Amino acid sequence: MSIAHFKTTTAAAFIASFTGTPKPHRIVIGAALAKPTTPPSLLIVQRSAHERSYPNEWEIPGGHVDPGESILDTV
């Protein structure tokens, strides 16, 4: 799929078009942002100490797609 596809596709439309099994009930997006420098850089964030799951762990930024939001907007 092209980037143009993700600019206009909502999570609901993406789920409806999914032909695999089991069918997903929501879309979760993560974005790895890398900077091609020497040495290379990668953006990661640390979860809050107050999170119920994986407190203080490091991860790539991400989250769930809200209804009506395009997949690219989520990123």
Side-chain angles (χ1 to χ4, degrees), residues 1-64:
M1 290 183 208
S2 69
I3 291 292
H5 176 78
F6 291 112
K7 286 182 181 179
T8 57
T9 302
T10 64
F14 186 77
I15 290 170
S17 71
F18 189 79
T19 58
T21 305
K23 197 172 201 82
H25 64 278
R26 69 178 180 161
I27 304 286
V28 177
I29 302 292
L33 304 174
K35 186 175 181 182
T37 57
T38 304
S41 300
L42 177 66
L43 176 66
I44 57 174
V45 295
Q46 187 174 23
R47 295 175 63 87
S48 168
H50 304 289
E51 292 285 339
R52 286 183 17 199
S53 59
Y54 308 107
N56 294 317
E57 294 292 327
W58 292 91
E59 64 184 358
I60 60 172
H64 67 277

